Amino acid sequence: MPQPPRRRAGRSGPVPTFRRGAVSCLTDAMTQSDAELVDRARSGDPLAFGVLVQRHLRAARAVALAVTMDEADAEDVSQDAFITALERLEQCRQPAAFRGWLLTIVRNLARNRVRDEGRRRTVPLEDTAPVAAKEGAGRRLEQAELRDRLLEALGELPEVQRQVVLLHDLEGWKHREIGASLGMAEGTCRAHLSHARRTLRARLAAYVDEED
Amino acid sequence: MEDQRLDLSPLAVRGDALERLAEAILKRAAPELRRRAAAAALAGALGAWRRPVLVAAAVVAVAAGTVLALSERPAAVVAVGITSMTEALRVPEPAVTWLEEGRSPTSSDLLWATEGSLP
């Protein structure tokens, strides 16, 4: 059965609606709370929605990556999650807790994708593109290899631990924030993180030993 | 050592990739945002007219009430020329006599009444 083409973030032109407006408007929006931005986005304010995207995209991608274990899938899921969130913005009963609500959408969409399509290991487009300059190519390969190994090691962890370790060690979230977003106690979050780190260190050390 | 942060930076999305991703999301979101803006504008326009319309309706209601209160009541319908129940019920005159006398009509009464009513 042919798979539908995957949407990718392309350079198909700027989004004028996001760039429109004075700098002061953007600065004003950047300082607004999620609740205020959600309220404005409900009225179709592209600037407010743009700020919400900028503010939470990294976390959305991290959670999507933790579930799908595939960078391309994580990007697709992140896109879909923001669009779904926009379409269902009236269902966000606590606009101040928009981030947690969004991440729930991300998790659900990511799980659906994993369930429907199965895990796929695809190489992001930028890695398949010909490298114009030789300088730095070695480093890119090294980075790609490291990324693959990290993903492989993360794959050994339960989904919840992957989310915790990515949000904490990659995105720099606090335990309190992770706990609130994932619906768990701070202590549970700490325990998950500790376990995840221990497993990852052991797994990555094994790689080093294999190379030696 | 165990609780030290892991360097997961190879998994981080690069700045330009993040920017492209954000642009792609906003591009996909544009139709929905336009729909919402249009709906909000319509709701705003209706909201702006709601107050004047309510005020106008209240003025009309008060004016109508005042007119009704001040206008004269229609005269009561009075039956003219009717002095008794039998007249009102249009009971034939011979039958009225029988009723007043409290008797049943005889055959001659009936004949008289019939002939009397004939042209």
Side-chain angles (χ1 to χ4, degrees):
Chain A
M1 185 178 159
Q3 296 292 326
R6 304 173 72 179
R7 289 180 299 272
R8 293 211 180 267
R11 290 186 183 278
S12 50
V15 181
T17 48
F18 182 56
R19 297 188 185 285
R20 189 180 57 201
V23 175
S24 60
C25 289
L26 181 61
T27 311
D28 180 46
M30 296 288 274
T31 57
Q32 285 192 323
S33 68
D34 278 3
E36 290 167 321
L37 292 172
V38 166
D39 194 42
R40 284 174 55 183
R42 278 177 176 160
S43 303
D45 185 342
L47 194 62
F49 184 69
V51 173
L52 283 172
V53 170
Q54 296 282 358
R55 195 175 281 178
H56 301 300
L57 181 54
R58 287 174 60 99
R61 181 191 167 274
V63 169
L65 182 63
V67 178
T68 61
M69 297 300 294
D70 182 289
E71 291 186 304
D73 278 348
E75 290 189 2
D76 287 349
V77 166
S78 306
Q79 276 194 47
D80 293 344
F82 274 103
I83 300 302
T84 303
L86 177 63
E87 288 168 353
R88 299 179 187 170
L89 216 45
E90 278 69 28
Q91 294 173 24
C92 180
R93 292 177 186 169
Q94 292 179 296
F98 172 78
R99 184 169 66 177
W101 180 72
L102 172 72
L103 294 186
T104 303
I105 294 175
V106 171
R107 263 193 304 280
N108 290 338
L109 290 179
R111 284 171 185 160
N112 288 347
R113 180 168 286 245
V114 170
R115 188 192 59 214
D116 293 345
E117 299 181 12
R119 281 187 187 176
R120 289 170 301 169
R121 289 295 175 121
T122 57
V123 181
L125 282 179
E126 56 265 32
D127 289 349
T128 58
V131 181
K134 285 187 177 178
E135 191 178 339
R139 177 168 159 69
R140 272 192 208 179
L141 280 173
E142 194 178 308
Q143 283 289 100
E145 195 179 334
L146 193 53
R147 189 169 54 211
D148 288 345
R149 290 198 168 174
L150 274 172
L151 281 173
E152 205 175 323
L154 278 168
E156 304 277 323
L157 301 176
E159 182 191 295
V160 65
Q161 290 184 12
R162 293 201 296 264
Q163 291 181 56
V164 170
V165 76
L166 283 175
L167 287 175
H168 191 279
D169 286 359
L170 183 62
E171 299 303 328
W173 283 29
K174 304 273 188 288
H175 287 292
R176 179 176 45 79
E177 296 172 313
I178 298 172
S181 288
L182 300 187
M184 66 175 72
E186 232 180 287
T188 312
C189 181
R190 285 179 195 281
H192 279 314
L193 181 65
S194 179
H195 190 272
R197 282 173 173 171
R198 204 163 44 240
T199 307
L200 284 176
R201 283 206 169 88
R203 188 72 178 134
L204 293 171
Y207 284 134
V208 174
D209 290 344
E210 281 171 19
E211 283 186 351
D212 290 343
Chain B
M1 170 70 183
E2 283 288 12
D3 279 340
Q4 276 184 352
R5 186 182 292 267
L6 285 171
D7 179 14
L8 300 177
S9 58
L11 295 177
V13 61
R14 290 198 310 272
D16 56 342
L18 199 69
E19 190 64 27
R20 285 203 305 274
L21 186 55
E23 283 191 5
I25 291 170
L26 291 171
K27 191 172 183 183
R28 281 182 64 193
E32 174 67 11
L33 288 167
R34 275 198 297 272
R35 188 192 66 76
R36 283 176 174 276
L42 180 64
L46 289 176
W49 276 102
R50 192 179 62 178
R51 201 164 185 151
V53 166
L54 284 175
V55 170
V59 168
V60 168
V62 168
T66 308
V67 168
L68 284 174
L70 295 178
S71 62
E72 291 180 7
R73 291 185 178 181
V77 177
V78 177
V80 178
I82 297 174
T83 56
S84 67
M85 181 69 78
T86 50
E87 279 184 22
L89 295 174
R90 293 182 183 178
V91 179
E93 197 175 333
V96 172
T97 311
W98 306 332
L99 288 170
E100 285 173 354
E101 293 173 356
R103 63 179 178 84
S104 302
T106 61
S107 9
S108 58
D109 286 339
L110 289 172
L111 185 63
W112 176 80
T114 312
E115 283 178 347
S117 65
L118 290 173

